[in-house]
Amino acid sequence: MKKLLTTGIFGIICFCACEKTVEQVYTSPDNIYFDFDNPEEDYERIDSITYSFALYPEKGTDTVYLPVRITGMRKSADRKFRLTVIDSVTTAVAGVHYKAIEPEYIMPADSGKVKVPVILYSSDAALKERSVRIKFRLVSTEDFAVTNYAYDTAKVIFSNRLEQPTWWNVWAGELGAYSRVKHELFIRTSGTTELPAVPSGEVVPMALFFTRTFRSFLSDPFAWVAANPEKGYVLEPAGAGKYNFFSTTNPDLKYPLELNTADNKYYFRDEKGNRIV
């Protein structure tokens, strides 16, 4: 009887302890953070996207994506999260350089990650001379907490300009002196956005194909346009022996082409006003 009584008391104590444990379980929202992948360095923190419209002449607007991921359990219902723009370090202007962000975004049901679209605009002429940036911060909501402050911000840095690549000097004998406008025209007409930085027997023939396609374009832009209708470029008469070269998908970005009566040839001009040869 004494043994039975002891066992019963022990069971009651265990039951109460279990009840107390259940009552003390703390529940909180799952966390959310920016999760940029770096394919080259597994342990290097990446927190930004760099973009140049100069690489995509057919586009007056484009979209980059911020990768957002949760820590915690996936749920069978949509959940909401928020971003804010950190004005103190943002130089881009909403409505001018990018579409204003939404009040809220959705983490879809049964998902642990989503890509937030950031719509960029190239129309501001100042983007030819400088880059602008947008810095975002994740903000807590009823559905998600933000507690990992090393991963709560992300930047988008963009422009409409190019910088001289290292490979240009390697192929300067074919390409000539560098200028941004020449670089842009090279990308638009050569069939590639870059050349090998280290020449070798394997890459030289293809590199020469690209450079000589570009040289052919500079020599006779009219023939290049006629031979490549699928690329969507036109030469529009602008009067007084001048033409405008542009993509039909981005007509706001024009490259003036003018006749030089001294040699009866047409030339583009670079950002300093020099003829491109």
Side-chain angles (χ1 to χ4, degrees), residues 24-175:
Q24 289 182 342
V25 170
Y26 176 72
T27 59
S28 64
D30 294 324
N31 269 258
I32 196 166
Y33 67 101
F34 287 115
D35 181 30
F36 288 88
D37 292 326
N38 181 7
E40 297 180 357
E41 296 288 343
D42 291 339
Y43 302 104
E44 183 180 347
R45 163 67 170 146
I46 299 296
D47 68 349
S48 61
I49 297 171
T50 302
Y51 179 93
S52 176
F53 277 102
L55 293 171
Y56 308 97
E58 73 283 2
K59 297 180 179 181
T61 182
D62 204 356
T63 304
V64 298
Y65 295 90
L66 303 177
V68 174
R69 186 183 291 270
I70 69 169
T71 56
M73 302 296 294
R74 300 185 182 192
K75 301 291 179 65
S76 59
D78 290 349
R79 289 182 285 176
K80 297 177 181 179
F81 66 95
R82 290 181 57 222
L83 300 177
T84 187
V85 172
I86 306 175
D87 293 331
S88 61
V89 289
T90 293
T91 57
V93 178
V96 176
H97 300 120
Y98 68 100
K99 182 180 178 181
I101 63 175
E102 301 295 333
E104 293 178 323
Y105 294 92
I106 298 297
M107 180 65 66
D110 301 314
S111 178
K113 60 183 178 179
V114 70
K115 292 185 177 181
V116 177
V118 180
I119 300 173
L120 309 178
Y121 305 140
S122 71
S123 56
D124 183 8
L127 292 176
K128 282 280 191 179
E129 303 301 326
R130 63 183 178 90
S131 298
V132 294
R133 70 176 59 211
I134 319 165
K135 188 167 186 178
F136 301 94
R137 174 172 283 131
L138 289 164
V139 180
S140 296
T141 64
E142 291 184 0
D143 293 324
F144 293 106
V146 180
T147 59
N148 191 339
Y149 300 119
Y151 295 86
D152 70 334
T153 61
K155 297 189 295 288
V156 176
I157 304 166
F158 63 102
S159 69
N160 196 3
R161 63 180 287 168
L162 295 169
E163 302 295 341
Q164 182 173 346
T166 55
W167 52 259
W168 190 280
N169 288 335
V170 174
W171 304 98
E174 289 284 322
L175 297 172

Side-chain angles (χ1 to χ4, degrees), residues 56-61 122 160 246-254:
Y56 308 97
E58 73 283 2
K59 297 180 179 181
T61 182
S122 71
N160 196 3
F246 60 91
S247 169
T248 54
T249 60
N250 188 15
D252 292 333
L253 180 57
K254 294 181 170 65

Side-chain angles (χ1 to χ4, degrees), residues 180-201:
R180 287 197 183 101
V181 174
K182 182 187 278 191
H183 192 175
E184 291 174 12
L185 291 171
F186 173 82
I187 290 172
R188 284 144 181 72
T189 61
S190 67
T192 186
T193 60
E194 61 182 347
L195 295 174
V198 179
S200 69

